[in-house]
Short mmCIF file of all heavy atoms in Angstrom, two decimals:
data_model
loop_
_atom_site.label_atom_id
_atom_site.label_comp_id
_atom_site.label_asym_id
_atom_site.label_seq_id
_atom_site.Cartn_x
_atom_site.Cartn_y
_atom_site.Cartn_z
N LEU H 358 -5.72 12.91 -13.48
CA LEU H 358 -7.17 13.11 -13.28
C LEU H 358 -7.50 12.44 -11.96
O LEU H 358 -7.23 11.32 -11.62
CB LEU H 358 -7.85 12.31 -14.39
CG LEU H 358 -9.38 12.53 -14.35
CD1 LEU H 358 -9.79 13.98 -14.73
CD2 LEU H 358 -10.04 11.59 -15.43
N PHE H 396 -23.98 17.75 0.76
CA PHE H 396 -22.90 16.85 0.47
C PHE H 396 -23.35 15.49 -0.11
O PHE H 396 -24.14 14.83 0.61
CB PHE H 396 -22.05 16.59 1.74
CG PHE H 396 -20.86 15.72 1.55
CD1 PHE H 396 -19.77 16.27 0.94
CD2 PHE H 396 -20.91 14.36 1.75
CE1 PHE H 396 -18.59 15.51 0.64
CE2 PHE H 396 -19.73 13.57 1.52
CZ PHE H 396 -18.67 14.27 0.92
N GLN H 412 -23.52 -10.68 -1.33
CA GLN H 412 -22.62 -11.54 -2.14
C GLN H 412 -21.54 -12.16 -1.32
O GLN H 412 -21.21 -13.39 -1.47
CB GLN H 412 -22.02 -10.71 -3.24
CG GLN H 412 -22.95 -10.28 -4.38
CD GLN H 412 -22.26 -9.71 -5.54
OE1 GLN H 412 -20.99 -9.87 -5.64
NE2 GLN H 412 -22.95 -9.10 -6.47
N HIS H 434 -3.39 -18.40 -18.49
CA HIS H 434 -2.12 -19.06 -18.67
C HIS H 434 -2.05 -19.66 -20.10
O HIS H 434 -1.01 -19.68 -20.78
CB HIS H 434 -1.96 -20.17 -17.67
CG HIS H 434 -1.42 -19.68 -16.36
ND1 HIS H 434 -2.23 -19.09 -15.34
CD2 HIS H 434 -0.11 -19.71 -15.85
CE1 HIS H 434 -1.41 -18.84 -14.35
NE2 HIS H 434 -0.19 -19.12 -14.58
N LYS H 442 -0.01 -14.38 -14.58
CA LYS H 442 1.15 -15.04 -13.98
C LYS H 442 1.57 -14.30 -12.72
O LYS H 442 2.61 -14.58 -12.09
CB LYS H 442 2.32 -15.06 -14.93
CG LYS H 442 1.98 -15.82 -16.19
CD LYS H 442 3.15 -15.63 -17.16
CE LYS H 442 2.83 -16.23 -18.49
NZ LYS H 442 3.86 -15.99 -19.59
N ARG H 458 -15.26 -15.53 5.31
CA ARG H 458 -15.43 -15.83 6.75
C ARG H 458 -15.30 -14.59 7.63
O ARG H 458 -16.17 -14.42 8.63
CB ARG H 458 -14.25 -16.83 7.16
CG ARG H 458 -14.23 -17.16 8.66
CD ARG H 458 -13.15 -18.21 8.91
NE ARG H 458 -11.84 -17.74 8.40
CZ ARG H 458 -10.98 -16.92 8.98
NH1 ARG H 458 -11.38 -16.42 10.14
NH2 ARG H 458 -9.84 -16.62 8.60
N MET H 477 -23.09 7.50 23.64
CA MET H 477 -21.72 7.45 24.05
C MET H 477 -20.85 8.33 23.18
O MET H 477 -20.82 8.21 21.96
CB MET H 477 -21.34 5.97 23.91
CG MET H 477 -19.81 5.64 24.29
SD MET H 477 -19.32 3.96 23.88
CE MET H 477 -20.50 3.01 24.83
N THR H 566 -7.97 9.62 10.74
CA THR H 566 -7.61 8.86 9.48
C THR H 566 -6.18 9.16 9.20
O THR H 566 -5.53 10.04 9.69
CB THR H 566 -8.54 9.24 8.39
OG1 THR H 566 -8.26 8.41 7.23
CG2 THR H 566 -8.40 10.67 7.90
N PRO H 595 -9.07 24.69 9.11
CA PRO H 595 -8.65 24.93 10.46
C PRO H 595 -9.10 23.83 11.41
O PRO H 595 -8.38 23.75 12.46
CB PRO H 595 -9.24 26.27 10.81
CG PRO H 595 -10.34 26.54 9.75
CD PRO H 595 -9.88 25.80 8.53
N ALA H 623 -16.84 25.36 12.07
CA ALA H 623 -16.23 24.35 11.30
C ALA H 623 -17.09 23.99 10.05
O ALA H 623 -16.55 23.73 8.97
CB ALA H 623 -15.99 23.08 12.14
#
Side-chain angles (χ1 to χ4, degrees):
L358 185 67
F396 184 78
Q412 288 194 15
H434 277 84
K442 304 172 186 176
R458 178 174 55 78
M477 182 187 301
T566 185

